[in-house]
Amino acid sequence: MTENQVSTPSRDGLFGPFLFARGSDGTTTRLAALIVAPEGAKVPELRAMGRDLVTPEKLATLFGRSYWRFDFNLTAKPDANYSFGNETYRVCADMTADLHIGFVSCNGQEDGDLDRPLEDRNALWSDLADQHEKRPFSLLLHGGDQIYADGVWQCHADIRAWNKARRRQKLKTAFSDEMRDAVLKFYLDYYLTIYDQPQISHMLARVPSLMMWDDHDIFDGWGSHKKWFQGSMVAKGMFACAREAFCLMQLGTSADGRPDGLSDGLPETEPDRLPDMVLDRSGKSLAWKVDFPGMTVIAPDLRSERTPEVIMGDHGWRDIAPALESIPKGNRILLMSSVPVIGPRLSLVEFFLHMMPSAQKYEDDLRDQWQSRWHRREWCRFLELLERIANDHDHEITIVSGEIHVATRGTFETMGKTIHQLVASGISHTAPPKAFARALGLLAWIGDHPLPARPTKLKPLPDRKGVYCAARNYLTLTRKDKNWDAKWHLEGIGWTPDLKV
């Protein structure tokens, strides 16, 4: 998508509804619906359960469009519904007993994403919709890279020139108002282009979503580039625009993304603007926690405070332990880590890349991972935290992750409980060559045990031989009584058998 291309709405300039989960107490399920409409246009009515008229809040008006959020409740039953305009949407709002959850990630690709026929690009979204018709999902988790916004570098002549400039010129260049408008418009247009694709919009209107971003929602490798690069005025300004778009389109909230006057360069948001689910009320970290009957979903923010040496940052670390400790007793924890917590031994790869200057362009990709030698101490700290929450607080923990464009699973054997990690990636990203999966499998075979006597181990999917499966995929989680099962849908292969987690 070039700087002059904009989204083409399907209905009178309206986009949405895009449905977001806000939690449930077993009686009432709390939701928010985002509608994007032409500025000044009358927005159709939204009614909950066919009766209650919901008054929207205007979140922002940007580039000729207004962003409206409807906050409403549905009775916690499997055939709840809401209507928007002339259409009624059924929502499986019963979160109390048996439960069906979908998990997706990597909804796009770096090059030519919008050039693919939608039937091919979104084939697994269509399959997901078929599964929803057979057995409705109560929740859809999006684990990162909801858009691939790397084309932002082409959105304006000044951004293209900056990207090609030498380091000294980059550091001298200010982030102009023209740059800001072009970048922010690009992000918002891209979100609407993706969300409005019929196979995706169908699910976003009917299944409440919970989303956490990763690097491609900003641009490739954000947080793992050189410090001078991320500290430049242009890079910080682009991140602020990506954050503003993320808040609108993935959290359903407003946020002024301009970092003007902030000493650390991180944007700040008024506390009353953020949904209650967000842990850091200043919004410098956008980690969140949402409670449901018998289950809590929590997602650390691994991008807002990331540097080449740090993954979560001061605000993220300050909030994550108290959030985990406050989870209701007996709740299973679904922890959504955009970058897999259990992964192969990368220190060997980083060592060899260090010896090969021509290959050091891949260094930021490796630094993205918890398993990077640069993050090993923080990785151990995170594993120790999960171990303490699982055993001292008696919680079952399941980690779900995306990012790596293959499917796999792993286990972390704590001094008590087994923590399972499930990786599904990507729903739209083209699968890598099988040789890539085999190479990763070799690293997994070598193994990596950061904590003494508590091994982390990668394992094949049920009934598969290789540790990594190079096929597009998505994941489903099922709760029946108090038992949880997971299974993957692998494109061209089919469903894996159920895995008890």
Side-chain angles (χ1 to χ4, degrees):
M1 185 166 69
T2 70
E3 63 181 288
N4 296 317
Q5 287 181 302
V6 297
S7 309
T8 303
S10 55
R11 304 177 274 119
D12 301 324
L14 285 173
F15 296 86
F18 309 126
L19 199 60
F20 297 98
R22 294 293 195 245
S24 176
D25 60 9
T27 302
T28 300
T29 294
R30 300 179 298 279
L31 301 168
L34 178 68
I35 300 294
V36 185
E39 182 178 359
K42 184 178 179 180
V43 179
E45 291 182 347
L46 188 148
R47 292 183 179 271
M49 304 299 291
R51 302 183 303 271
D52 304 327
L53 181 64
V54 182
T55 301
E57 175 186 356
K58 183 187 288 188
L59 301 177
T61 297
L62 296 162
F63 312 112
R65 297 188 183 110
S66 293
Y67 294 73
W68 299 88
R69 187 184 68 213
F70 294 81
D71 295 304
F72 62 100
N73 298 331
L74 291 180
T75 304
K77 59 181 187 177
D79 58 348
N81 66 79
Y82 72 98
S83 61
F84 179 70
N86 296 323
E87 190 160 358
T88 298
Y89 301 91
R90 179 178 171 180
V91 179
C92 184
D94 183 6
M95 309 287 289
T96 59
D98 295 353
L99 201 58
H100 199 208
I101 298 171
F103 174 81
V104 301
S105 73
C106 299
N107 182 31
Q109 62 186 32
E110 294 86 343
D111 300 310
D113 185 31
L114 300 180
D115 297 332
R116 296 179 286 172
L118 290 186
E119 293 76 11
D120 172 61
R121 184 198 187 278
N122 295 330
L124 290 189
W125 281 101
S126 297
D127 190 87
L128 195 67
D130 291 341
Q131 296 303 316
H132 179 63
E133 288 300 311
K134 296 173 184 176
R135 184 176 185 183
F137 292 102
S138 294
L139 198 59
L140 185 58
L141 307 179
H142 305 247
D145 297 338
Q146 277 63 262
I147 61 170
Y148 273 66
D150 305 281
V152 69
W153 293 110
Q154 304 301 319
C155 74
H156 191 274
D158 291 344
I159 296 293
R160 292 194 294 271
W162 186 89
N163 193 33
K164 295 177 181 178
R166 294 184 179 272
R167 173 174 173 172
R168 180 177 298 179
Q169 184 61 41
K170 280 184 165 78
L171 290 173
K172 287 170 52 178
T173 303
F175 192 61
S176 66
D177 289 343
E178 291 79 10
M179 286 180 172
R180 179 186 183 274
D181 286 348
V183 170
L184 181 57
K185 185 176 187 300
F186 174 88
Y187 283 123
L188 294 173
D189 285 352
Y190 210 104
Y191 273 112
L192 293 174
T193 296
I194 298 300
Y195 284 16
D196 198 49
Q197 292 175 356
Q199 301 88 345
I200 298 174
S201 62
H202 177 89
M203 292 298 289
L204 295 186
R206 291 164 175 82
V207 184
S209 289
L210 287 171
M211 302 180 173
M212 179 50 71
W213 64 353
D214 202 32
D215 60 331
H216 290 284
D217 300 292
I218 308 163
F219 53 75
D220 187 20
W222 171 261
S224 297
H225 294 288
K226 302 292 185 183
K227 279 189 173 180
W228 71 262
F229 175 90
Q230 291 195 188
S232 67
M233 291 179 283
V234 170
K236 288 196 296 186
M238 293 175 71
F239 167 77
C241 291
R243 178 186 179 276
E244 188 169 356
F246 167 78
C247 286
L248 281 169
M249 300 304 299
Q250 296 200 42
L251 291 180
T253 191
S254 60
D256 184 348
R258 285 168 288 188
D260 303 340
L262 294 176
S263 59
D264 59 6
L266 288 172
E268 195 163 345
T269 304
E270 295 178 13
D272 59 354
R273 288 283 190 171
L274 293 170
D276 292 342
M277 62 195 273
V278 176
L279 304 179
D280 176 17
R281 303 314 295 168
S282 74
K284 291 186 177 181
S285 168
L286 294 167
W288 49 254
K289 176 176 75 75
V290 185
D291 292 324
F292 302 93
M295 173 189 71
T296 296
V297 187
I298 186 166
D301 180 356
L302 307 185
R303 290 296 164 181
S304 287
E305 299 180 90
R306 182 186 278 263
T307 71
E309 287 78 34
V310 173
I311 291 181
M312 281 211 292
D314 291 342
H315 291 78
W317 275 109
R318 180 198 65 194
D319 295 332
I320 189 68
L324 288 165
E325 289 165 351
S326 68
I327 288 173
K329 185 177 180 179
N331 269 22
R332 175 175 289 259
I333 298 173
L334 297 184
L335 188 143
M336 195 158 67
S337 174
S338 56
V339 177
V341 178
I342 300 168
R345 188 172 183 176
L346 297 178
S347 56
L348 291 175
V349 181
E350 290 178 311
F351 173 78
F352 286 118
L353 285 184
H354 184 71
M355 305 295 290
M356 301 168 59
S358 63
Q360 288 178 17
K361 62 183 178 179
Y362 301 110
E363 184 180 17
D364 64 294
D365 295 318
L366 295 174
R367 282 209 187 195
D368 270 357
Q369 308 303 315
W370 282 104
Q371 295 77 35
S372 168
R373 59 180 175 148
W374 300 100
H375 303 311
R376 192 171 187 87
R377 182 175 298 178
E378 190 175 7
W379 181 34
C380 291
R381 181 184 177 187
F382 194 62
L383 290 172
E384 288 170 341
L385 172 62
L386 296 183
E387 179 181 43
R388 179 170 65 82
I389 295 300
N391 294 316
D392 294 357
H393 294 262
D394 195 25
H395 286 294
E396 301 296 333
I397 300 177
T398 304
I399 305 168
V400 289
S401 298
E403 206 268 342
I404 57 177
H405 308 153
V406 290
T408 188
R409 69 183 183 98
T411 55
F412 170 32
E413 300 295 343
T414 73
M415 292 295 194
K417 295 178 180 288
T418 298
I419 295 175
H420 290 268
Q421 175 181 268
L422 316 172
V423 177
S425 172
I427 190 166
S428 295
H429 195 286
T430 303
K434 288 182 171 56
F436 173 80
R438 287 194 293 270
L440 284 180
L442 177 60
L443 289 173
W445 177 79
I446 295 172
D448 200 353
H449 308 302
L451 301 180
R454 291 102 91 197
T456 63
K457 187 174 183 180
L458 289 160
K459 300 179 178 181
L461 304 184
D463 280 1
R464 301 292 301 171
K465 291 183 179 179
V467 170
Y468 293 93
C469 181
R472 295 199 299 185
N473 61 90
Y474 64 86
L475 174 76
T476 65
L477 289 158
T478 303
R479 181 180 70 190
K480 189 171 184 180
D481 297 324
K482 293 186 178 181
N483 300 313
W484 286 78
D485 295 312
K487 63 180 180 178
W488 288 258
H489 180 76
L490 308 170
E491 186 176 32
I493 299 171
W495 287 98
T496 65
D498 288 343
L499 172 72
K500 294 189 181 301
V501 294

